[in-house]
């Protein structure tokens, strides 16, 4: 079951969010889009459309409702596949609207014995390969489909049979001995302590050394790398989701692109940076994080060896889709279930 579809169905009966709380973000986004639209304000006022911006939590969690925002009709610029790269100001406004939306969404911590389900699809030489995983919230269990062959004889191994592993609770040991390993519960409980202010939040994250320091890395490169990794967590508290969007807006050259299709063909927006030269961490080219344009849920990520958008006035020398990407990963479905093998 596609959880985004389920969330949209649930949203139909949900109460409206507090419009006063989200009004400043809507106003900034509307003003920024006016600057983006050819023909100026008069053109914008003549052609408008109503967009329903949904407010949704991670799948299987609470849904609080939606807001109606009136935005200018968007005329795609001359970019590949109808993608519309926003200016720096419009990108910041779009990210603020995303932050204002997700911070109104309650995300509930699962019970210790519940399992976090995730189905991911990676593309290897353009061909999709999907896998499903279940992780018990307290870190004592893990399951996977297809299964991974064990060492030794595999003549009777069936990859389509659910493999489940159980083990002792390692949380206290990991914490006491300073291991990087953490259960999802431990990681969540660190995240909920983070301040909502993006500068203070990113400082706390850097102090935690969750992904390690790299000599020569700039603060902006480090923040992008931290955020890139954090979004791979299936469950993120609402205030942290909002802080991450606001932190993205502070990264120089981070831009939002509308009119995107993710690798699974779903409508998306993209937040991307381009590294013309190899960074201290080894990154080079364009990296993008993909989100649902209504719920702002994380959909996946991609890396491209070349810029996605061509220089102004030039046409691309090759397709900008995911066939030419060097790394592509999509989160197909996710949620919280009561046992391994169950799906939301």
């Amino acid at each position: 079951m596609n959880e985004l579809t389920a969330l949209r169905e649930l949203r139909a009966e949900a109460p409206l969010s507090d419009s006063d709380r989200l009004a400043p973000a809507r106003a900034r986004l509307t003003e920024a889009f006016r600057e983006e639209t050819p023909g100026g304000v008069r053109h914008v006022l003549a052609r408008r459309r109503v967009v329903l911006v949904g407010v949704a939590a991670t799948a299987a969690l609470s849904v609080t409702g939606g807001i109606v925002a009136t935005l200018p009709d968007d005329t795609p610029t001359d970019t590949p596949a109808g993608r519309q790269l926003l200016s720096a100001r419009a990108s910041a406004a779009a990210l603020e609207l995303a932050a204002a939306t997700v911070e109104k969404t309650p995300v509930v911590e699962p019970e210790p014995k519940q399992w976090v389900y995730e189905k991911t699809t990676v593309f290897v030489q353009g061909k999709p390969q999907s896998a499903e995983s279940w992780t018990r919230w307290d870190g004592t269990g893990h399951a996977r489909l297809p299964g991974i062959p064990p060492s030794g004889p595999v003549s009777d191994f069936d990859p389509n049979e659910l493999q489940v592993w159980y083990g002792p609770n390692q949380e206290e040991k990991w914490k006491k001995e300073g291991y990087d390993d953490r259960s999802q519960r431990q990681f969540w409980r660190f995240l909920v302590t983070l301040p909502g202010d993006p500068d203070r939040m990113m400082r706390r994250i850097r102090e935690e050394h969750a992904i390690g320091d790299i000599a020569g890395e700039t603060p902006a490169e480090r923040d992008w790398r931290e955020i890139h990794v954090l979004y791979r967590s299936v469950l993120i508290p609402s205030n942290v989701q909002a802080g991450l969007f606001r932190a993205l807006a502070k990264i120089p050259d981070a831009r939002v692109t509308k009119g995107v299709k993710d690798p699974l063909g779903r409508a998306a927006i993209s937040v991307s940076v381009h590294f013309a030269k190899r960074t201290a961490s080894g990154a080079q080219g364009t990296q993008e994080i993909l989100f649902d344009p209504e719920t702002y849920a994380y959909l996946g990520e991609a890396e491209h060896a070349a810029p996605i958008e061509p220089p102004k006035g030039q046409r691309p020398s090759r397709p900008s889709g995911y066939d030419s990407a060097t790394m592509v990963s999509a989160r197909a479905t996710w949620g919280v279930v009561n046992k391994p093998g169950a799906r939301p």
Side-chain angles (χ1 to χ4, degrees):
M1 177 180 182
N2 187 309
E3 297 305 320
L4 293 177
T5 301
L7 285 169
R8 291 186 181 110
E9 293 174 353
L10 287 170
R11 192 177 62 224
E13 299 179 359
L16 292 179
S17 300
D18 183 356
S19 60
D20 291 339
R21 173 65 184 83
L22 298 175
R26 292 201 306 272
R28 284 191 291 272
L29 184 59
T30 300
E31 181 61 28
F33 273 120
R34 290 184 179 186
E35 297 182 356
E36 294 293 302
T37 309
V41 175
R42 182 172 299 174
H43 174 83
V44 171
L45 294 176
R47 301 174 61 200
R48 302 177 73 88
R49 65 186 175 94
V50 175
V51 179
L52 180 65
V53 182
V55 181
T58 301
L61 302 179
S62 300
V63 178
T64 61
I67 61 171
V68 176
T70 305
L71 300 178
D73 185 20
D74 306 312
T75 303
T77 56
D78 188 15
T79 55
R83 299 167 64 99
Q84 185 184 9
L85 179 67
L86 303 185
S87 68
R89 180 175 178 181
S91 293
L95 290 168
E96 176 57 32
L97 180 59
T101 301
V102 298
E103 72 182 349
K104 296 290 291 183
T105 306
V107 182
V108 181
E109 180 182 358
E111 296 295 325
K113 294 183 179 180
Q114 286 188 301
W115 299 68
V116 176
Y117 168 80
E118 181 181 23
K119 181 178 181 180
T120 57
T121 301
V122 297
F123 290 77
V124 180
Q125 297 180 341
K127 296 181 178 180
Q129 297 182 4
S130 297
E132 298 173 277
S133 66
W134 293 259
T135 304
R136 202 164 112 151
W137 189 245
D138 63 5
T140 62
H142 185 77
R144 177 184 166 88
L145 273 176
I148 300 175
S151 58
V154 294
S155 58
D156 60 347
F157 174 73
D158 182 2
N160 295 315
E161 181 178 345
L162 181 68
Q163 289 185 335
V164 184
W165 298 267
Y166 288 98
N169 191 314
Q170 299 289 301
E171 290 178 325
E172 288 304 317
K173 178 181 178 182
W174 292 335
K175 182 178 180 180
K176 181 179 179 180
E177 299 185 12
Y179 292 168
D180 290 335
D181 305 72
R182 296 181 185 180
S183 68
Q184 294 202 42
R185 179 168 65 177
Q186 283 178 306
F187 190 59
W188 168 278
R189 290 180 178 176
F190 163 67
L191 292 178
V192 296
T193 68
L194 295 178
D197 175 78
D199 293 325
R200 293 171 57 210
M201 185 185 74
M202 294 309 300
R203 185 161 58 249
R204 278 283 312 281
I205 291 172
R206 288 191 296 270
E207 290 171 353
E208 190 70 13
H209 299 290
I211 59 175
D213 296 319
I214 295 178
E217 192 172 36
T218 69
E221 291 169 354
R222 171 63 182 267
D223 283 354
W224 173 264
R225 190 163 60 92
E226 293 274 12
I227 293 169
H228 212 193
V229 171
L230 280 170
Y231 270 120
R232 295 172 188 170
S233 301
V234 177
L235 298 185
I236 302 177
S238 304
N239 69 306
V240 179
Q241 291 186 52
L244 291 177
F245 279 120
R246 292 184 174 116
L248 284 170
K250 289 176 171 287
I251 295 178
D253 302 324
R255 302 286 286 276
V256 172
T257 302
K258 300 176 60 185
V260 175
K261 293 287 187 181
D262 84 341
L264 299 179
R266 299 172 294 188
I269 63 169
S270 161
V271 183
S272 65
V273 295
H274 181 72
F275 301 116
K277 297 180 180 179
R278 187 172 298 278
T279 67
S281 66
Q284 187 170 13
T286 297
Q287 295 189 351
E288 61 176 341
I289 309 173
L290 300 160
F291 301 94
D292 183 276
E294 294 183 357
T295 68
Y296 301 105
Y298 170 86
L299 296 180
E301 60 187 88
E303 295 181 7
H304 307 257
I308 300 176
E309 310 294 345
K312 189 173 182 179
Q314 296 184 20
R315 289 194 171 274
S317 59
R318 63 175 183 166
S320 68
Y322 297 100
D323 290 342
S324 61
T326 57
M327 190 283 293
V328 181
S329 175
R331 179 177 291 163
T333 315
W334 63 96
V336 176
V337 296
N338 292 324
K339 63 180 181 180
R343 297 176 177 86

